[in-house]
Amino acid sequence: MSKSKSASGNAIAELYTSLIQKGNLRDLLPFLRLHAHANKAVLRQEIKKAKKYWLDYIELPTGSVVDGFFRTSRWGQRGNEQQQEMVILSAIAVLDKTEIMRWDDAFPYFSRLDEPFVREVVTWAKPTWTNAFLLDQLKKNAWSTLDYFHLKLLEERGLVEYEPELFVLSMTKFPFRFYRESSLLTAYMEKIVNDPLAYQRELPLLFQYETGIQNQNMPMASNEPFKNVWEMILGSWLDQGRFDRAWFVENCILVQTKEWNGGLRAFFRKRLADALPTTAELLAAQYPLFACLHAPLNTVVSFAVDLIRKIWSDKNFEFQSFIEFIEPVMMRADCKGAIRHTLTILDKAAQQSPRYRPAVSYLAADVLVIPDLSLQERAVKTLKKTGDPNDAVLTDKLNMYAPQLQGNIMEMLGPLLTGNIPEIPNLYEAYATETSAHSIIHDASRFPEFMDWNDLLFHFGKFIQSEEVMHAEMLMDAFVTKRHLFPADALEQLKTYADQLSGLHFNAPYRRMVGGLLIHLIRQEEGFYQPERDHLDRSEIGNLAKYLVHQIQEKIVSGSKRSLLCFPTHTPHWIDPSILIDRLIAYAHAGEAVDPVDFAIAISRTRRENIPKAVEKAHRLPQQYQQLMAFVLGTTAEIPAPEKPSFWKRLFGSGKNIDYVPWAVAARTFYPNQEFQEFENTDLKGVVNVVSPFAPEVRIDVRRHETRHAFSKKVDKSTTRRLIATLPKSKWTGKQPLLYSMDIYERKDSVWGINLSFGTVLFWHSVMPQNDQALASFLLRYCCEYSEGLGEDDLRAFLLIVSDTSFVFTDTIYYVIACCYLYKDSGLRNFAAEISLLLICERRIDVRQLGEKLARLISEGYAPLQRFLDVAAVIRDHSALHNGALLTLLETILERFELKEKLPAGFKKLPEMYYDLLTKTGQAPGVSTLQNLTKIPESPSLKPIIKQLQSIPHQ
């Protein structure tokens, strides 16, 4: 029995395959009628195979002919139009709901029922999943449309059942063919406007289901701007009286309380404004308006307050309910405009009805929690009119809010705080940077060593989870110096980690390379592991790990038990000079070659501590290293001049050639700001960061753009500001590791951006921990180019580096930190604020230098000023010292600010914060700061705060 079924199934499969190959649409329906019901399982499998073969895109052979035409594209489908239609119609007729949901190609066929072959197959099949399939397509694909009148036809023929969401989505999404033919669009709109089902059954659903009617913009005529078709349809229905106006007003308001797309809610707000609602209509909807006051979106709150302003004075307005609903709004910093309008309403209401005065005073007091000087001043005006000094509730509120009062608000409150003014400690301590050398080379910071096999095994997990470079170096070193800890089955135990590593992708090149090495060693693969460079890796420094990986393999093959010269002796990346000398001596005795990359990194990591002990051993060094190591240790500052060979030496090729690359690395490591004319006569002449230290020139490039929309014909004007940090055009192409020059060059633009990664930034710093100028130059050029860029991971890693006590600041580094303050990513700005708290506490950051960079960026409009104010708000009042630092920072910004075109948006908040800190800390404004502010052309918003600053007496 099973054999005959199998034979029958094979016959049906062959028959179906032959049918599709012939491509005759007329043969499909007879085949389905004869075989579909009895052989559904077989046909399901064959239809899926046919889809893969006939419909999937493949790379076609060169010169292949399909449908009688040569393909102009390398990619295409095997099936012609008839074959593809037969496969899709087969799927509609045979597949069940779960299977058809993945067939997006079937969706257009439900709009083609006027075609005989499509209508006959769909009508015969009568699939039960049509509703679910069509609704799923309309919801998941923004571009999917289904003609509303075709859907009604399906309903009439019993192919779909009425489902509210399906029908309203179909009605609101206009077919794309109307973009090309405006006459068809006009006719379709008129058909909807005059359709009773559309305005009786579907219209109410616009307020129940989230649609995209705000985006239905189409051309009413060629070369005309686009118009929203639903704005016109709703306007027509309103003019024709197709719905109740009061119902429409109420629902336009209720929509604002839904968690829908902001653009859709704005669409209904505009339709409400177009309807010109009367006072009576708004009064009937006042409780929906009150509900809008609790909306998370501040534009909805402002919308509600604007409408309430029109009706609050009516006798039928529920003012007591309004007071209850408005209370949380009065504490929202994002609703300042709505609060100002509300205070005006409350002032007038309290004047007309004294019974409201206590409640009004409580609401005005709540405004004082918002850190905005001008808003607090406005609230105080209301408090003076309505507040009662004998009201215990009010005085308790004011006492509670006293620490948050800005500027001289406490004095303005006057009698309301008499006898109840809380004692606020002096929140000022003068800030000055302190520089002190920190000892790093001591026993407490000695680099950890593996004590046993379990310790080593556990460290694989640390390497997988952590970006820290030291974990990778510890594992590499273990395969060279800790082989005695490996048990007989060590590699078998490590296979789990190899499998785990092979399934991971690390963004940082050094982690990918070390991970690849570990897999290679654990699985005992043949030959040397040769890591490949990823096409997105933009850093030469980031790829230095490949040399270290090669050196580890050389040592394993040769049986060497000596660590690489550059592996740390003290956490996290430092080398004791005494131990570096020991390693060089050991290499010489063993006849082991010194790798130039290994040696260069070792020099840059060497700390000038424990020098006497190192000097005692230095005479045992090989001759070629003695002079260089003396320079590294600081016992000499002399760099040998190039030898000028005589005629005979040049003729016979004799003479000594000095490799100046390690000298250049040592010079820039230990003397980062010094010039070295000694290199002018060497091959390194003209290479960036060798003779002179490099710092990029910084400028802001302003570009104005005009964009014309292809459909709407509207012209949008925009301005972009780009920070340009100029790097040299030429690239160091030498084979030697000239660390501080390798990555300082201009790269070609890339669609992927030219960023590093979090781990690569940490690795770069680990390789050159005593001079981060090159790293900062790279980040400033490529990660800070736009404040809306994608370099937040790189900059977050850099801020982490900055927090290290041994970090050395430069002018370029202050530019990078300033850019972090102004970056779009709020997480990065918050992290910058946290790092600033630490740096100020340790007195390591020069806030004047930082302020100079911020002043320039703010003056040039590099980013919105509010981003900096958010960071400053975190620093403010953290401690007396932090207030002192912030005061200096703000003073520097205001002193160095230069007006270019127009004041940055919200600029008055900057002097307001400055004024608030001055009054809180009892300090006087800087003379030069006041002089600079008075040079700014008079602005109505700035005039009051400048007068307030001038009124502060100088001590």
Side-chain angles (χ1 to χ4, degrees):
M1 187 71 175
S2 61
K3 288 184 179 179
S4 63
K5 279 187 177 181
S6 175
S8 174
N10 290 336
I12 295 297
E14 290 174 5
L15 191 60
Y16 179 74
T17 302
S18 174
L19 186 76
I20 301 299
Q21 286 175 341
K22 292 177 181 177
N24 190 344
L25 268 172
R26 293 180 181 276
D27 296 338
L28 179 62
L29 186 56
F31 172 83
L32 292 173
R33 283 175 174 158
L34 187 61
H35 300 291
H37 292 297
N39 300 279
K40 190 167 282 190
V42 174
L43 283 176
R44 282 176 179 169
Q45 295 299 321
E46 292 305 311
I47 289 169
K48 293 174 186 176
K49 291 178 183 177
K51 179 180 186 289
K52 185 174 181 61
Y53 185 83
W54 296 107
L55 271 67
D56 282 4
Y57 278 84
I58 60 168
E59 189 172 5
L60 297 170
T62 304
S64 62
V65 180
V66 181
D67 290 346
F69 295 96
F70 281 99
R71 287 279 184 176
T72 57
S73 171
R74 291 176 55 206
W75 292 87
Q77 297 163 293
R78 289 190 181 94
N80 58 31
E81 185 177 348
Q82 290 75 24
Q83 289 168 327
Q84 293 181 39
E85 289 195 343
M86 290 178 73
V87 173
I88 295 170
L89 287 171
S90 304
I92 293 173
V94 175
L95 299 185
D96 60 22
K97 176 182 173 181
T98 304
E99 294 167 322
I100 199 67
M101 284 299 183
R102 295 188 289 272
W103 285 65
D104 294 351
D105 294 328
F107 179 71
Y109 286 77
F110 290 91
S111 295
R112 294 170 55 187
L113 292 184
D114 53 339
E115 300 176 24
F117 295 120
V118 176
R119 182 175 63 252
E120 289 171 5
V121 171
V122 175
T123 305
W124 172 81
K126 287 189 177 180
T128 59
W129 42 256
T130 311
N131 275 53
F133 175 73
L134 296 179
L135 181 58
D136 178 68
Q137 288 290 320
L138 289 175
K139 289 177 73 174
K140 76 180 182 181
N141 296 325
W143 57 88
S144 294
T145 63
L146 176 61
D147 190 304
Y148 174 63
F149 298 100
H150 280 147
L151 182 61
K152 288 174 64 179
L153 182 62
L154 290 171
E155 183 187 15
E156 290 171 9
R157 294 180 176 177
L159 295 173
V160 298
E161 296 178 356
Y162 179 69
E163 187 169 344
E165 187 173 12
L166 172 61
F167 275 74
V168 74
L169 287 177
S170 172
M171 183 182 74
T172 55
K173 298 175 79 170
F174 275 38
F176 284 105
R177 65 179 182 273
F178 297 147
Y179 280 99
R180 298 185 296 272
E181 300 184 48
S182 56
S183 59
L184 291 177
L185 171 63
T186 304
Y188 190 81
M189 287 176 60
E190 289 178 1
K191 200 173 177 182
I192 287 181
V193 167
N194 298 315
D195 189 320
L197 278 180
Y199 59 75
Q200 291 174 4
R201 186 178 72 174
E202 264 65 85
L203 170 60
L205 302 177
L206 292 176
F207 300 102
Q208 297 178 31
Y209 295 98
E210 186 174 8
T211 64
I213 56 177
Q214 76 278 10
N215 299 321
Q216 294 296 302
N217 303 308
M218 293 189 174
M220 302 309 297
S222 59
N223 298 321
E224 283 191 13
F226 279 27
K227 294 181 180 178
N228 187 282
V229 295
W230 278 99
E231 178 182 341
M232 292 183 282
I233 292 172
L234 289 174
S236 297
W237 282 341
L238 182 65
D239 294 340
Q240 296 170 11
R242 299 297 190 186
F243 50 74
D244 180 62
R245 281 180 56 88
W247 168 86
F248 183 71
V249 169
E250 181 180 4
N251 278 278
C252 283
I253 294 171
L254 283 172
V255 159
Q256 308 305 318
T257 63
K258 297 178 182 288
E259 294 297 321
W260 282 2
N261 177 275
L264 178 58
R265 286 186 280 180
F267 174 84
F268 282 114
R269 292 198 296 271
K270 292 175 183 175
R271 301 294 69 77
L272 179 62
D274 292 343
L276 300 174
T278 64
T279 300
E281 289 168 343
L282 290 175
L283 283 170
Q286 59 181 298
Y287 276 96
L289 278 175
F290 294 160
C292 290
L293 296 175
H294 292 178
L297 196 65
N298 60 350
T299 51
V300 173
V301 176
S302 298
F303 156 79
V305 170
D306 286 342
L307 293 179
I308 289 170
R309 289 168 65 195
K310 300 176 181 180
I311 61 174
W312 74 270
S313 58
D314 192 280
K315 64 180 181 179
N316 293 318
F317 183 74
E318 298 289 344
F319 199 83
Q320 186 59 45
S321 297
F322 169 65
I323 288 177
E324 293 170 3
F325 274 95
I326 199 67
E327 184 177 359
V329 177
M330 307 306 281
M331 299 183 187
R332 285 182 58 173
D334 62 332
C335 295
K336 293 176 184 177
I339 292 171
R340 292 180 190 278
H341 291 314
T342 301
L343 287 172
T344 302
I345 294 172
L346 296 175
D347 282 347
K348 294 177 180 178
Q351 186 178 359
Q352 294 175 8
S353 302
R355 70 179 185 275
Y356 291 129
R357 285 184 178 177
V360 169
S361 67
Y362 303 155
L363 292 173
D366 287 339
V367 178
L368 300 177
V369 303
I370 301 173
D372 185 292
L373 179 60
S374 60
L375 188 62
Q376 289 190 1
E377 288 173 342
R378 176 63 187 84
V380 169
K381 290 180 181 178
T382 299
L383 279 168
K384 285 184 175 180
K385 296 175 186 177
T386 60
D388 182 358
N390 298 317
D391 188 333
V393 175
L394 178 61
T395 54
D396 286 347
K397 272 181 176 280
L398 295 176
N399 285 338
M400 182 170 60
Y401 299 154
Q404 293 164 285
L405 300 182
Q406 305 283 298
N408 63 342
I409 296 298
M410 192 174 292
E411 289 76 11
M412 290 177 65
L413 287 169
L416 294 176
L417 282 176
T418 301
N420 295 308
I421 300 176
E423 202 172 307
I424 299 176
N426 181 24
L427 291 175
Y428 177 77
E429 180 182 344
Y431 180 82
T433 309
E434 293 179 359
T435 55
S436 57
H438 295 272
S439 177
I440 291 174
I441 307 300
H442 49 73
D443 289 342
S445 67
R446 191 173 293 279
F447 206 71
E449 292 191 8
F450 295 123
M451 304 307 296
D452 52 38
W453 171 245
N454 287 334
D455 188 17
L456 195 158
L457 200 63
F458 178 72
H459 219 78
F460 274 84
K462 285 188 176 182
F463 166 71
I464 292 171
Q465 297 296 327
S466 174
E467 299 270 8
E468 289 187 48
V469 180
M470 61 179 286
H471 298 310
E473 293 177 330
M474 288 178 69
L475 287 180
M476 285 196 291
D477 190 54
F479 277 86
V480 175
T481 65
K482 303 296 180 184
R483 295 291 297 185
H484 60 281
L485 297 178
F486 284 53
D489 63 342
L491 298 182
E492 188 65 31
Q493 293 186 47
L494 291 174
K495 281 185 179 178
T496 302
Y497 289 108
D499 294 340
Q500 192 174 349
L501 285 168
S502 63
L504 296 174
H505 175 77
F506 297 121
N507 288 329
Y510 85 90
R511 296 190 76 199
R512 285 201 301 272
M513 294 175 185
V514 174
L517 172 66
L518 294 174
I519 294 170
H520 182 87
L521 295 176
I522 293 168
R523 292 177 176 173
Q524 295 180 292
E525 296 172 352
E526 292 184 2
F528 269 38
Y529 166 65
Q530 301 289 345
E532 294 183 3
R533 182 167 182 170
D534 192 288
H535 71 284
L536 293 179
D537 292 341
R538 298 292 179 176
S539 169
E540 306 299 326
I541 295 295
N543 283 278
L544 285 179
K546 69 181 179 182
Y547 298 102
L548 306 184
V549 163
H550 182 82
Q551 283 299 303
I552 289 295
Q553 294 176 95
E554 290 276 11
K555 286 180 175 292
I556 293 172
V557 170
S558 66
S560 171
K561 306 237 181 254
R562 285 166 289 279
S563 293
L564 293 185
L565 297 175
C566 69
F567 278 176
T569 63
H570 291 73
T571 59
H573 38 239
W574 301 109
I575 295 179
D576 182 340
S578 173
I579 296 178
L580 176 58
I581 289 176
D582 287 339
R583 289 175 177 175
L584 285 168
I585 294 171
Y587 270 50
H589 288 168
E592 192 168 342
V594 171
D595 179 74
V597 173
D598 185 20
F599 190 35
I601 297 175
I603 290 173
S604 70
R605 286 178 164 183
T606 299
R607 186 81 176 173
R608 278 188 172 173
E609 296 182 38
N610 201 17
I611 298 301
K613 187 175 180 182
V615 170
E616 289 179 8
K617 304 176 181 178
H619 68 279
R620 294 161 48 200
L621 282 166
Q623 187 65 35
Q624 69 266 32
Y625 297 119
Q626 287 192 5
Q627 198 171 2
L628 174 58
M629 287 307 297
F631 184 81
V632 169
L633 296 175
T635 57
T636 180
E638 183 180 346
I639 298 175
E643 182 181 339
K644 295 182 180 179
S646 64
F647 169 78
W648 295 108
K649 287 183 178 179
R650 287 198 302 270
L651 181 64
F652 294 105
S654 60
K656 181 176 65 174
N657 292 319
I658 300 174
D659 180 8
Y660 279 99
V661 168
W663 283 92
V665 170
R668 200 51 61 207
T669 297
F670 300 106
Y671 307 98
N673 302 316
Q674 192 168 316
E675 291 200 4
F676 293 93
Q677 296 299 324
E678 295 90 334
F679 296 118
E680 283 284 5
N681 300 318
T682 70
D683 293 340
L684 303 182
K685 176 185 178 181
V687 179
V688 64
N689 247 342
V690 175
V691 176
S692 304
F694 174 78
E697 294 181 7
V698 178
R699 61 184 176 88
I700 303 294
D701 180 50
V702 181
R703 294 186 180 180
R704 291 172 174 80
H705 313 277
E706 288 188 359
T707 305
R708 182 180 294 274
H709 291 268
F711 293 134
S712 66
K713 310 301 180 185
K714 290 182 179 178
V715 176
D716 288 341
K717 295 182 178 181
S718 61
T719 302
T720 58
R721 286 174 169 81
R722 175 187 174 207
L723 184 149
I724 298 178
T726 308
L727 299 183
K729 300 294 183 185
S730 59
K731 173 184 177 182
W732 165 251
T733 56
K735 295 182 179 180
Q736 296 296 322
L738 198 57
L739 298 182
Y740 297 99
S741 309
M742 292 174 68
D743 266 323
I744 309 303
Y745 65 92
E746 196 69 39
R747 290 151 175 82
K748 292 182 180 179
D749 291 336
S750 167
V751 294
W752 302 103
I754 304 178
N755 298 328
L756 301 173
S757 68
F758 189 94
T760 300
V761 173
L762 297 184
F763 179 77
W764 189 325
H765 172 70
S766 173
V767 168
M768 294 172 279
Q770 302 186 77
N771 183 354
D772 286 287
Q773 175 64 22
L775 173 58
S777 300
F778 184 100
L779 295 178
L780 187 63
R781 170 63 184 88
Y782 293 112
C783 295
C784 301
E785 185 175 11
Y786 297 102
S787 64
E788 285 79 17
L790 302 173
E792 56 266 20
D793 283 347
D794 297 11
L795 295 173
R796 190 176 284 108
F798 186 73
L799 288 172
L800 188 63
I801 292 165
V802 169
S803 66
D804 186 48
T805 54
S806 61
F807 188 84
V808 179
F809 292 87
T810 66
D811 207 54
T812 304
I813 288 167
Y814 280 115
Y815 261 121
V816 176
I817 297 173
C819 290
C820 292
Y821 276 30
L822 296 169
Y823 220 70
K824 182 178 182 179
D825 185 78
S826 58
L828 177 65
R829 295 201 309 273
N830 290 336
F831 190 53
E834 292 175 16
I835 295 298
S836 298
L837 293 176
L838 174 66
L839 296 175
I840 291 169
C841 188
E842 296 175 350
R843 296 179 180 269
R844 292 197 293 113
I845 188 170
D846 188 331
V847 290
R848 283 205 172 276
Q849 282 201 57
L850 178 60
E852 291 170 4
K853 309 305 178 287
L854 282 166
R856 182 177 179 189
L857 295 177
I858 293 170
S859 300
E860 301 273 4
Y862 170 71
L865 176 62
Q866 184 59 47
R867 296 178 188 173
F868 165 72
L869 294 173
D870 292 342
V871 175
V874 176
I875 300 172
R876 182 173 60 184
D877 295 336
H878 189 77
S879 74
L881 182 64
H882 288 87
N883 275 350
L886 181 58
L887 197 58
T888 303
L889 181 65
L890 294 173
E891 190 165 83
T892 306
I893 294 172
L894 292 171
E895 180 185 322
R896 297 299 183 96
F897 175 79
E898 295 180 19
L899 181 63
K900 298 296 181 180
E901 296 177 0
K902 61 180 181 178
L903 281 176
F907 181 78
K908 69 166 187 165
K909 295 178 183 178
L910 199 58
E912 281 180 356
M913 181 179 284
Y914 180 53
Y915 174 71
D916 173 54
L917 273 174
L918 289 172
T919 53
K920 274 186 177 179
T921 59
Q923 303 301 303
V927 175
S928 55
T929 302
L930 281 177
Q931 289 175 347
N932 192 48
L933 282 173
T934 54
K935 290 178 184 176
I936 299 174
E938 284 196 12
S939 166
S941 62
L942 277 185
K943 196 172 181 180
I945 188 61
I946 292 176
K947 283 187 176 180
Q948 287 177 311
L949 285 167
Q950 291 171 332
S951 67
I952 299 176
H954 286 270
Q955 299 173 350

